[in-house]
């Protein structure tokens, strides 16, 4: 892959990570400063439900951050954009849609088909 395209993907990944980390910081700040003590049990339950939902989202984002870090490591190692399964180059369109991917579309479809059969 051309150096300018690699830099494009590096910048996309870094910006996505910054955005996710910013959201995580915002959530921590909101949860630590939100010391509302609702006397109504329904209001407390709603607040708890909202917090649980927010934490589930942040957990998914944490996993995505780890994938972004792995993708940046692959860029540094010169392995970015190469399918881990077949060794072929991953299409630029697929990388634009999901820059953290490690599989080309054919290998990913095969993997999903195997999962469905199990």
């Amino acid at each position: 892959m051309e150096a300018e395209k690699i830099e494009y993907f590096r910048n996309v990944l870094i910006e996505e990570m910054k955005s996710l980390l910013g959201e995580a910081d915002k959530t921590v700040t909101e949860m630590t400063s939100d010391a509302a003590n609702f006397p109504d049990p329904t209001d407390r339950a709603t607040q708890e439900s909202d917090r649980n939902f927010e934490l589930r989202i942040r957990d998914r984002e944490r996993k995505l951050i780890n994938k972004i870090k792995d993708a940046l490591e692959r860029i540094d190692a010169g392995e970015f954009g190469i399918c881990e399964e077949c060794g072929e180059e991953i299409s630029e369109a697929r990388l634009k849609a999901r820059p953290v991917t490690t599989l080309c579309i054919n290998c990913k479809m095969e993997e999903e088909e195997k999962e469905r059969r199990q």
Side-chain angles (χ1 to χ4, degrees):
M1 186 178 295
E2 299 169 14
E4 65 185 40
K5 289 182 182 177
I6 293 287
E7 282 308 306
Y8 165 80
F9 286 114
R10 181 190 307 274
N11 290 332
V12 166
L13 290 164
I14 289 171
E15 287 303 313
E16 180 69 15
M17 187 170 2
K18 284 179 185 176
S19 173
L20 293 171
L21 291 172
E23 287 297 315
D25 287 342
K26 189 172 85 172
T27 299
V28 169
T29 301
E30 288 174 0
M31 286 189 168
T32 55
S33 68
D34 187 18
N37 188 6
F38 296 108
D40 182 34
T42 305
D43 291 339
R44 282 195 306 267
T46 299
Q47 180 188 34
E48 188 64 27
S49 175
D50 290 348
R51 281 186 173 183
N52 285 336
F53 180 71
E54 185 81 18
L55 290 172
R56 281 196 310 269
I57 290 171
R58 296 300 160 242
D59 186 52
R60 294 181 105 197
E61 289 176 349
R62 178 189 55 81
K63 292 174 184 174
L64 180 54
I65 287 170
N66 288 334
K67 288 181 180 183
I68 291 171
K69 288 178 181 177
D70 291 344
L72 290 169
E73 287 175 7
R74 286 193 305 278
I75 287 174
D76 292 339
E79 300 168 355
F80 182 78
I82 305 298
C83 179
E84 288 182 345
E85 195 68 28
C86 68
E88 295 293 318
E89 193 167 308
I90 300 171
S91 73
E92 189 175 333
R94 176 150 171 77
L95 289 171
K96 283 184 178 178
R98 183 138 175 93
V100 297
T101 191
T102 59
L103 299 174
C104 68
I105 193 68
N106 292 333
C107 290
K108 182 63 177 174
M109 288 183 351
E110 285 178 26
E111 180 183 87
E112 289 174 355
E113 184 61 34
K114 288 177 187 175
E115 288 174 3
R116 269 186 247 136
R117 282 190 247 138
Q118 290 180 356

